Amino acid sequence: MRILGIDPGSRVTGFGVIDVDGQNRTYVASGCIRTPGGELAARIKSILRGIAEVVETYKPDIAAVEIVFVNVNPQSTLMLGQARGAAMSALVLANLPIGEYTALQVKQAVVGNGHADKEQVSQMVQRMLRLNGAPQSDAADALAVALTHAQHDSGAMKQLASLGLTIKRGRLA
């Protein structure tokens, strides 16, 4: 299975692509879609086209997107939500199923600590995918989202679901 992870941002949207075969996770690609300065509409268009190009190039089977957190600044939260919407629109137009995960879920899945910092997440992504160097920050976050989906899509998570249990806010519910 090929998973596309996305870390949405109004200025920089990270993407990461991994292949999953049983317990093996293999790095395929990662990078950032940098939007032009200026009007939001041009940024949204850039994100939409950029994600569509990534989907066309790497042909993922499924996508995973980080859920937007509420920021102190409502305007920033709104812009981030619009960027996330653009990324999700590109995925929906490509008929990809989408998994959604909070930052807490991603950090717990990758690092084992929901309060891990970006550096810890990046180091664990590098270790889990056996990378020679650290990916760009936003790309590392996107790879972490893809790894989270791989973990949640594993047999153990399916077994929990068959028992009527789920993970909510990083906790078994």
Side-chain angles (χ1 to χ4, degrees):
M1 173 174 51
R2 180 161 284 183
I3 303 171
L4 167 61
I6 298 177
D7 177 39
S10 62
R11 297 196 185 282
V12 180
T13 293
F15 71 88
V17 183
I18 64 171
D19 282 340
V20 178
D21 183 14
Q23 293 302 312
N24 296 324
R25 278 86 169 115
T26 307
Y27 173 85
V28 175
S30 63
C32 294
I33 299 164
R34 298 188 187 284
T35 62
E39 293 189 26
L40 181 61
R43 290 189 212 166
I44 297 297
K45 183 178 181 180
S46 180
I47 294 166
L48 185 69
R49 284 189 172 168
I51 296 296
E53 186 177 315
V54 169
V55 168
E56 178 63 29
T57 301
Y58 298 105
K59 304 197 181 337
D61 300 305
I62 194 163
V65 182
E66 187 171 315
I67 295 173
V68 175
F69 64 92
V70 177
N71 198 324
V72 175
N73 180 341
Q75 189 66 24
S76 295
T77 303
L78 183 59
M79 287 182 72
L80 186 56
Q82 290 169 326
R84 183 174 182 274
M88 290 192 65
S89 294
L91 300 171
V92 168
L93 289 171
N95 294 313
L96 285 174
I98 303 168
E100 299 176 72
Y101 302 96
T102 65
L104 178 68
Q105 287 174 307
V106 172
K107 290 174 181 180
Q108 284 189 323
V110 174
V111 181
N113 175 2
H115 300 290
D117 61 28
K118 284 178 103 37
E119 173 102 6
Q120 290 173 303
V121 172
S122 180
Q123 287 174 352
M124 283 305 294
V125 164
Q126 190 174 347
R127 185 172 295 138
M128 292 170 81
L129 294 173
R130 297 174 296 286
L131 301 175
N132 292 330
Q136 299 172 26
S137 177
D138 294 292
D141 290 346
L143 287 165
V145 173
L147 287 165
T148 300
H149 185 76
Q151 180 175 323
H152 280 255
D153 199 45
S154 70
M157 294 307 291
K158 287 179 182 175
Q159 190 175 19
L160 286 175
S162 73
L163 297 171
L165 300 171
T166 60
I167 301 284
K168 288 191 180 175
R169 296 188 177 174
R171 299 198 189 315
L172 193 58

